[in-house]
Amino acid sequence: MSTYIYGITATSHPGLPEGVSGIGDPPLPVRVLREGELAALVSDAPEGLRPKRRELLAHQNVLSEAGAAGCVLPMRFGSVAPDDDAVTGVLAERAEHYGERLRALDGRVEYNVKANHVEDAVLHHVMAGNPEIRALAESNRKAGGGSYEQKIQLGEMVAAAVKAKEAEDAGALERLLEPAADAVSVGPESTGWLANVSYLVKREAAAEFLEAVEQARKDLPHLEVRLNGPLPPYSFVEPGPAEPAGTAAGGADAGAG
């Protein structure tokens, strides 16, 4: 049977949750695979695993149980290796990398921040800051709406200005939040979000980071800012000793699946 991987930690971790229920129906027991100074939290991998709410929560619960007592490198949901030997083989092969990541992420959590424009507010900003757009809009208004070509021209100008404003505001938001974090990981672009950024934050500095988010909301009122966290540091697992945290987005797959 294939082996499902929840996370990687040190064998010195004081509270490895061996026997805790994991994914599957009925829930499968979590066990600990040890290799040198590293340990992997695993269970059997059920057939036909799907990212259903129950399974996602079970995956998260194992990480929460382990993370409450010490640093754990979280694997993305669905990380599966052919068998236990494949997992311990990767632990041995990447021991230096995972050891470095455990030291770098110890005592830290991830906050994900997504931002979007409030449509009416950003249109007001665009019109107020662009005399050419204002002049064309006024000309069209006086002409009863303007010609088809003029309407297209105005629409294209507004769209370009909004796009430029998105880039400007994404940079402004990141500059406001970055000082309160240890590292930054820019996530993949997704429809509807002008910013999708994860921040690595010391647990004891979480209040400072949350204050920075609230300040950003006040300074950029034309943005809708959504905060998710604290989370296990999924976005900071992969960078190794030669690659600073925050230079690559996405969690590890343990190299085994």
Side-chain angles (χ1 to χ4, degrees), residues 137-180:
E138 179 63 15
S139 174
N140 285 1
R141 186 187 66 79
K142 290 180 177 179
S147 66
Y148 174 77
E149 290 76 12
Q150 288 170 324
K151 290 178 181 178
I152 292 296
Q153 181 186 6
L154 179 61
E156 290 176 344
M157 290 173 66
V158 170
V162 169
K163 188 70 175 177
K165 186 64 175 168
E166 287 180 350
E168 177 187 332
D169 286 337
L173 180 63
E174 188 169 330
R175 285 191 297 274
L176 287 169
L177 300 183
E178 188 171 358

Side-chain angles (χ1 to χ4, degrees), residues 196-217:
N196 176 17
V197 184
S198 290
Y199 296 86
L200 186 68
V201 178
K202 291 186 180 72
R203 289 183 186 274
E204 63 266 27
E208 178 186 345
F209 182 78
L210 296 179
E211 288 175 6
V213 172
E214 289 306 312
Q215 188 61 49
R217 286 171 170 153

